[in-house]
Amino acid sequence: MLSIALSELIQIFRNRLVLVTSLVMPAVVSGFFVYRHEVFAALGSLGYIAAITMFTVGAFGLYTTTVTTLAARRQNLFLKRLRSTAAGDAGILSGLLLPVTVISLVQVVAIMTVLAMVTSGPDNVLLLAAAVLSMVTMMLGLGLATAGLTNSPEHAQVTTLPVSLGTIAVASWVGISGTEELTLLKRLLPGGSATELAVNAWNGGVPVTESLILLAPTLSWVVVAVALASRIFRWEPRR
């Protein structure tokens, strides 16, 4: 797995398109939110800024790169060749996705650290970490499912749009308007409960036990995405 991960990390830094998608664009957009934190804090809260930057990295960095990577490796038959080695399916996928996952986590930590330095720190760091990890797990699951519907890296530019833009829209909606109204709908939409959890973790004022319940909808999306991926993910190009 580690040898696959190292090879994939090298490929990421060689591919300018993936590098811009997974590193530069999410960092620039998140940097803008942090730079104009007073405006966005007035619109929502500091917790909203933390949540929207978290999903910016998750949607445009982690999720999109996951789909593009798997589609590209399938197209050039790299996935097929890996399956002929001693590595198992889980090890292959873990190796391919480990670099972009680590890069995304480092970005989120760095961005939130800067936000804490220029404003004030989160009320509950552990709860915030749970929100980040649940978001990462969900986006990886959705990425695996979407990759099953994606024929090529070029096709990924189309297939990733509904989830990437949808989760950003949900994060903005929940982060700005809260969940006092349409509570169930907002929490069940992909990204809604993770956004609320991040907002609660940063702003405080909500009992930890009530916030931890918000992990359930996000993990449910993980189960659904993995179940879909197990049925539609392909290791070879369609003939």
Side-chain angles (χ1 to χ4, degrees):
M1 184 188 77
L2 292 179
S3 60
I4 298 174
L6 179 59
S7 174
E8 190 59 35
L9 181 62
I10 294 172
Q11 292 298 320
I12 288 177
F13 284 97
R14 285 181 177 176
N15 190 319
R16 293 181 180 178
L17 177 60
V18 173
L19 190 62
V20 170
T21 302
S22 62
L23 280 176
V24 179
M25 188 176 73
V28 170
V29 175
S30 299
F32 175 75
F33 276 98
V34 175
Y35 177 70
R36 300 300 302 272
H37 62 271
E38 294 180 353
V39 174
F40 291 107
L43 181 64
S45 64
L46 291 177
Y48 162 63
I49 299 175
I52 197 65
T53 55
M54 177 179 77
F55 270 100
T56 297
V57 174
F60 294 120
L62 178 60
Y63 169 75
T64 301
T65 306
T66 293
V67 179
T68 303
T69 296
L70 294 176
R73 301 300 173 262
R74 181 196 298 122
Q75 187 180 53
N76 62 18
L77 301 180
F78 187 61
L79 285 181
K80 182 179 180 179
R81 291 196 295 271
L82 284 176
R83 290 196 91 190
S84 65
T85 66
D89 291 352
I92 293 171
L93 293 175
S94 298
L96 290 173
L97 301 180
L98 181 60
V100 67
T101 302
V102 173
I103 288 172
S104 298
L105 285 172
V106 170
Q107 281 187 297
V108 171
V109 171
I111 292 165
M112 290 190 177
T113 300
V114 173
L115 178 62
M117 292 174 63
V118 300
T119 57
S120 58
D123 180 77
N124 192 320
V125 176
L126 293 179
L127 198 61
L128 183 63
V132 172
L133 292 176
S134 66
M135 179 277 298
V136 167
T137 306
M138 183 184 74
M139 300 312 289
L140 283 173
L142 292 173
L144 286 171
T146 308
L149 304 172
T150 306
N151 298 324
S152 66
E154 295 75 22
H155 190 208
Q157 299 177 23
V158 177
T159 59
T160 57
L161 283 178
V163 171
S164 57
L165 295 181
T167 51
I168 291 293
V170 170
S172 296
W173 184 31
V174 174
I176 292 174
S177 65
T179 56
E180 286 77 15
E181 299 178 352
L182 301 174
T183 303
L184 184 60
L185 173 63
K186 290 179 178 179
R187 288 178 176 175
L188 291 180
L189 287 172
S193 58
T195 297
E196 186 180 0
L197 183 60
V199 171
N200 291 348
W202 197 284
N203 294 341
V206 179
V208 174
T209 52
E210 291 184 17
S211 293
L212 287 176
I213 297 174
L214 297 172
L215 288 171
T218 302
L219 297 180
S220 297
W221 276 107
V222 174
V223 174
V224 171
V226 171
L228 284 173
S230 66
R231 295 180 62 88
I232 64 178
F233 185 80
R234 294 174 290 106
W235 294 87
E236 299 180 31
R238 287 176 179 164
R239 299 185 183 278

